[in-house]
Amino acid sequence: MGVEEKGNELVEKIKAQFAGIKEKTDSIEQKKKVYFEIAPAPDIWSIGSGTFQQELIEAAGIENIYADQQGWFSVSEEDIINRNPEAIITTVNFSDDPSGEIKSRKGWESVLAVLNNEVYVLNPDILDRPGPRIAEATEIIARAIYPELFED
């Protein structure tokens, strides 16, 4: 395409962004356990190993409660409750209040993320599409889960 120099500059910029995130998250002693929801009830879907979202979560210094699963998959509410995530990330954007919907689910009132009001609705245009904004997506996740690390 004749834009090799611009491509190389972009790659270097992305690498620098990842290095900046890593510098901040390297100090984390105990990674937060997070549940990432990509489709809401009643047919709940999440992400596991082998997905680019899993790579984002790992790069953000976070532990996915479903890292033991593969790909994108359907999950039961009971299993999420049993795994008891400390935070919840969702990229669901087709309901009026995705965070409120999650917090109001029957039986979820004992989930640490709900108890501590750590349910985050993040931009699906950035987090659900692999591309040149991948480092930005990682930083958005890291800032949501560890805001204290990004205070200036």
Side-chain angles (χ1 to χ4, degrees):
M1 293 177 57
V3 291
E4 185 174 346
E5 187 176 321
K6 284 187 177 186
N8 288 333
E9 288 173 10
L10 179 59
V11 168
E12 291 307 312
K13 179 183 174 190
I14 292 169
K15 285 181 180 178
Q17 286 175 298
F18 274 118
I21 296 164
K22 185 175 181 345
E23 184 179 309
K24 292 179 188 306
T25 59
D26 271 351
S27 65
I28 298 167
E29 292 181 22
Q30 183 66 41
K31 293 180 180 182
K32 277 194 179 177
K33 293 177 174 73
V34 175
Y35 161 61
F36 193 127
E37 185 167 287
I38 58 173
D43 299 316
I44 300 174
W45 281 69
S46 190
I47 56 103
S49 295
T51 64
F52 74 91
Q53 289 106 330
Q54 174 64 28
E55 292 181 28
L56 299 178
I57 288 171
E58 288 175 357
I62 298 163
E63 183 180 330
N64 178 5
I65 66 167
Y66 286 114
D68 61 335
Q69 302 294 314
Q70 287 292 313
W72 295 271
F73 57 93
S74 180
V75 63
S76 73
E77 290 189 67
E78 292 81 10
D79 194 54
I80 298 164
I81 293 166
N82 287 336
R83 291 183 187 232
N84 199 17
E86 297 170 82
I88 297 172
I89 294 169
T90 184
T91 55
V92 171
N93 67 344
F94 48 84
S95 71
D96 291 336
D97 183 13
S99 175
E101 187 274 324
I102 290 170
K103 292 176 193 174
S104 68
R105 291 178 187 165
K106 185 175 168 104
W108 287 53
E109 59 276 350
S110 64
V111 173
L112 285 173
V114 173
L115 283 170
N116 296 322
N117 199 32
E118 290 204 47
V119 179
Y120 305 101
V121 180
L122 303 180
N123 188 332
D125 291 337
I126 299 172
L127 271 68
D128 290 345
R129 296 180 179 151
R133 296 171 77 184
I134 205 82
E136 180 183 350
T138 302
E139 185 168 332
I140 289 169
I141 294 170
R143 281 180 179 274
I145 303 302
Y146 304 117
E148 68 281 358
L149 298 178
F150 293 87
E151 293 174 350
D152 294 332

